[in-house]
């Protein structure tokens, strides 16, 4: 006889956020319903709404969670010791980010979130999250322009991965040089 243990509310919340991440990664904010999230999570649609409110509130929670993962990863690398003049440390921070954004669901949710900035609540969340990422990266000791360039390179990587430029690196046509200088390995 197996005994089922009841999940805590915080665990159910994480299950739904994980499912919503997968669903929103696929369909974005406009193309995903709370019913699709509920199916992905194996719960009822009213339960999703009861836990998160509107689809918009759920999307913002998923988007902020994705951005917070990125920020936490930056903090972890910086707190391990970071020399602003070290190219090795810069590459270590970049490699950690590149590894994290290979999580396609995370990457796609972030891309959907930043591109849906015309939705006022999503735009506000995007501005806030980008601001916190900037503030976190300032802790490297880099000047603001270097932080900006690092973020810009990261966003370029996001775009290149989103358009699947690594799927066939032998047939990139005019994109070849950009991919090779942005993603050399």
């Amino acid at each position: 006889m197996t005994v089922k243990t009841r999940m805590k509310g915080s665990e159910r919340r994480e299950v739904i956020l994980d499912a919503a991440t997968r669903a929103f990664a696929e369909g974005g904010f406009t193309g995903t319903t709370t019913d699709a999230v509920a199916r992905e999570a194996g719960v009822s649609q009213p339960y999703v709404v009861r836990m998160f409110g509107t689809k918009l509130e759920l999307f913002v929670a998923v988007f902020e969670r994705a951005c917070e993962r990125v920020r936490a990863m930056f903090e972890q690398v910086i707190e391990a010791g970071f020399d602003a003049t070290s190219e090795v440390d810069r590459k270590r921070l970049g490699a950690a980010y590149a590894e994290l954004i290979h999580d396609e669901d995370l990457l796609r949710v972030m891309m959907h979130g930043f591109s849906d900035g015309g939705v006022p609540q999503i735009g506000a969340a995007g501005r806030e999250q980008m601001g916190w990422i900037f503030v976190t990266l300032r802790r490297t000791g880099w000047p603001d322009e270097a932080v900006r360039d690092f973020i810009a390179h990261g966003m370029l990587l996001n775009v290149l991965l989103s358009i699947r430029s690594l799927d066939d690196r032998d047939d990139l046509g005019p994109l070849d040089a950009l991919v090779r200088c942005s993603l050399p390995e």
Side-chain angles (χ1 to χ4, degrees), residues 107-126:
L107 169 67
R108 292 170 72 199
V109 162
M110 286 177 52
M111 294 297 287
H112 285 300
F114 288 125
S115 66
D116 276 336
V119 177
Q121 194 170 345
I122 297 172

Side-chain angles (χ1 to χ4, degrees), residues 58-71:
L58 176 58
F59 180 82
V60 168
V62 167
F63 173 57
E64 288 175 340
R65 182 177 178 238
C67 291
E68 287 166 6
R69 267 186 71 198
V70 170
R71 193 170 72 240

Side-chain angles (χ1 to χ4, degrees), residues 109-143:
V109 162
M110 286 177 52
M111 294 297 287
H112 285 300
F114 288 125
S115 66
D116 276 336
V119 177
Q121 194 170 345
I122 297 172
R127 290 186 297 276
E128 180 180 20
Q129 292 303 315
M130 185 60 76
W132 282 116
I133 288 169
F134 183 78
V135 166
T136 299
L137 287 170
R138 278 176 137 182
R139 291 181 44 220
T140 60
W142 291 336

Side-chain angles (χ1 to χ4, degrees), residues 59-113:
F59 180 82
V60 168
V62 167
F63 173 57
E64 288 175 340
R65 182 177 178 238
C67 291
E68 287 166 6
R69 267 186 71 198
V70 170
R71 193 170 72 240
M73 179 276 312
F74 286 149
E75 287 173 351
Q76 184 179 10
V77 172
I78 293 166
E79 287 172 5
F82 195 90
D83 176 356
T85 63
S86 168
E87 186 60 27
V88 169
D89 282 353
R90 178 182 172 81
K91 286 181 179 179
R92 189 169 50 91
L93 191 63
Y97 180 68
E99 187 64 35
L100 187 61
I101 63 170
H102 274 90
D103 174 345
E104 284 193 32
D105 291 339
L106 173 88
L107 169 67
R108 292 170 72 199
V109 162
M110 286 177 52
M111 294 297 287
H112 285 300

Side-chain angles (χ1 to χ4, degrees), residues 9 12 14-15 24 59 70 72 76 78 93 101 117 124 129 134 142 144 147 150-151 163 166 170 172:
R12 284 192 302 272
E14 287 303 310
V15 166
F24 284 125
F59 180 82
V70 170
Q76 184 179 10
I78 293 166
L93 191 63
I101 63 170
Q129 292 303 315
F134 183 78
W142 291 336
D144 287 352
V147 173
F150 185 83
I151 291 172
I163 62 174
L166 297 183
D170 294 330
L172 292 173

